[in-house]
Amino acid sequence: MITSFFTPKRKAEDSNEKGSATNTVTSSSPIASAEREDRSRTSNIAKRLKSNTLDTTKKTELIPAVQELMSALTDDEWKVGLEAYVTKPSFASLATFVANERKTNETIYPLPSDTFTALNLVPLNKVKVVIVGQDPYHGPGQGHGLCFSVRKGIRVPPSLRNIYKELLENDCGLETMPQHGYLERWAQQGVLMINSVLTVRKGEANSHKKKGWEEFTDEIIRCLFTKRSSDAGGLVFLLWGKPASKKAESIINRYSSALVGGQKIQTKVFCSSHPSPLGATKTNSPFIGSKCFRKTNEALEGMGLSAIDWGVEGPIVNNSKTLK
């Protein structure tokens, strides 16, 4: 239900009142001017709702901490999608916290320029697969803005090694155990690898938990249902471990039935335990043996989308929709 913020015109109660109104309201009268302004304002709001963008003539001034944090977000689609959220006081509080942390003697990962790597590599309308992590790796040189990924030259973490082990059994493009953990090639095909929390102190896992990142990354997931174009295609979610499942499923269940351009977004969700050695094989829904990558590709093809080549080396040969 949409509630109008404009006062409806009072209906004339009889023909005499109609005649009187006709005789007294001229094109130059204050009443006529107000009506024209009202119609113009209503038209502008309708246009903004239709285009799903904000009124750029009345932007909220962002505090320096927010400007500094958001300067790392370079993708235009995500900028528009998140524009309203970053004006909220809660996000200002988060940005101030991160700025203060970086100004102290603490070492914060990832580097400021890598904070939004996941978003910068996969535009909003190109996302096909979503993997939700927890918080960045907290060792030197590890975290760079893609969950589970590390740059070349950094030792492959145990969780990612288990991911590779599962991929080797899925026949999805990985034929031998990779010697590095750099997953940018996945992002180039539309795999959004987003942590629930986007920063962390060196050597202190979960040190930036409950500071506001969780709500921000909730908004990222909501944008996938509310801010994408109608021809963006379906979505597959890979949710590993209870925190990821709890975070994403509540949003998915709420918004997956929403219509975009008159059509329901096709959504598929695959849940399992976390790929870490602590839980990869020890739950009722173990990650190892889940076949989640093969199931993901089958779901994508069922949606009319190209499958993901889950290898980490070489040109992408089976995906005509590689991101540029």
Side-chain angles (χ1 to χ4, degrees):
M1 175 180 179
I2 300 177
T3 303
S4 174
F5 292 94
F6 304 103
T7 304
K9 298 182 182 65
R10 182 171 60 90
K11 293 183 179 180
E13 296 179 357
D14 53 43
S15 58
N16 290 335
E17 185 173 350
K18 290 181 182 177
S20 174
T22 303
N23 291 332
T24 57
V25 177
T26 66
S27 61
S28 60
S29 71
I31 296 176
S33 298
E35 290 179 347
R36 284 196 300 272
E37 290 179 6
D38 185 59
R39 288 194 297 270
S40 176
R41 189 160 56 247
T42 303
S43 175
N44 288 338
I45 289 175
K47 289 178 180 178
R48 292 204 307 275
L49 289 173
K50 183 177 181 180
S51 63
N52 206 17
T53 59
L54 297 176
D55 183 354
T56 57
T57 64
K58 295 183 179 180
K59 287 185 177 179
T60 302
E61 187 69 25
L62 302 178
I63 66 172
V66 172
Q67 294 180 32
E68 179 183 7
L69 181 59
M70 294 306 295
S71 66
L73 180 61
T74 59
D75 180 76
D76 290 335
E77 291 181 5
W78 283 110
K79 283 182 179 179
V80 173
L82 296 167
E83 188 175 18
Y85 188 87
V86 301
T87 65
K88 292 186 175 183
S90 58
F91 189 77
S93 177
L94 167 64
T96 300
F97 167 77
V98 174
N100 288 338
E101 287 279 280
R102 292 197 185 277
K103 290 175 182 176
T104 65
N105 294 325
E106 305 286 354
T107 298
I108 305 302
Y109 297 128
L111 294 172
S113 59
D114 288 334
T115 305
F116 302 117
T117 297
L119 304 182
N120 292 333
L121 288 178
V122 192
L124 176 60
N125 287 304
K126 297 295 184 180
V127 177
K128 298 194 299 186
V129 180
V130 183
I131 299 176
V132 180
Q134 297 180 16
D135 65 343
Y137 293 126
H138 52 81
Q142 289 184 311
H144 67 99
L146 299 179
C147 69
F148 297 104
S149 175
V150 293
R151 286 197 171 96
K152 293 180 180 180
I154 303 298
R155 184 178 179 180
V156 177
S159 292
L160 182 53
R161 191 164 294 279
N162 277 339
I163 290 172
Y164 286 163
K165 288 179 180 178
E166 178 61 20
L167 272 168
L168 288 171
E169 301 297 325
N170 278 230
D171 190 26
C172 294
L174 195 68
E175 297 179 356
T176 60
M177 180 65 72
Q179 299 304 303
H180 68 82
Y182 193 42
L183 305 181
E184 182 177 349
R185 192 170 179 273
W186 296 3
Q188 292 172 346
Q189 300 173 78
V191 181
L192 179 66
M193 292 166 274
I194 191 76
N195 278 311
S196 178
V197 174
L198 301 188
T199 55
V200 68
R201 290 183 198 144
K202 177 183 177 181
E204 297 183 44
N206 295 316
S207 52
H208 285 188
K209 184 179 180 180
K210 296 183 179 179
K211 301 297 182 181
W213 278 126
E214 293 89 346
E215 291 76 18
F216 176 76
T217 50
D218 283 352
E219 182 66 15
I220 288 172
I221 297 173
R222 273 191 290 270
C223 283
L224 294 171
F225 292 100
T226 62
K227 300 294 179 69
R228 299 209 308 166
S229 63
S230 58
D231 60 350
L235 294 166
V236 178
F237 287 83
L238 291 176
L239 306 180
W240 300 330
K242 288 184 178 180
S245 297
K246 183 177 179 181
K247 177 183 182 66
E249 283 193 300
S250 61
I251 301 173
I252 295 169
N253 291 337
R254 180 177 179 183
Y255 289 98
S256 60
S257 60
L259 299 180
V260 177
Q263 298 180 353
K264 182 179 177 180
I265 299 176
Q266 295 182 349
T267 306
K268 194 71 175 179
V269 181
F270 298 111
C271 299
S272 73
S273 65
H274 194 274
S276 75
L278 296 176
T281 61
K282 303 174 183 177
T283 69
N284 292 330
S285 300
F287 173 79
I288 298 297
S290 65
K291 305 295 182 184
C292 57
F293 299 104
R294 179 185 296 177
K295 293 175 181 177
T296 293
N297 280 353
E298 291 172 352
L300 289 172
E301 291 175 338
M303 296 173 182
L305 299 172
S306 51
I308 303 298
D309 177 355
W310 294 99
V312 297
E313 295 282 7
I316 301 168
V317 295
N318 72 337
N319 189 341
S320 61
K321 297 184 179 181
T322 300
L323 308 185
K324 300 295 184 182

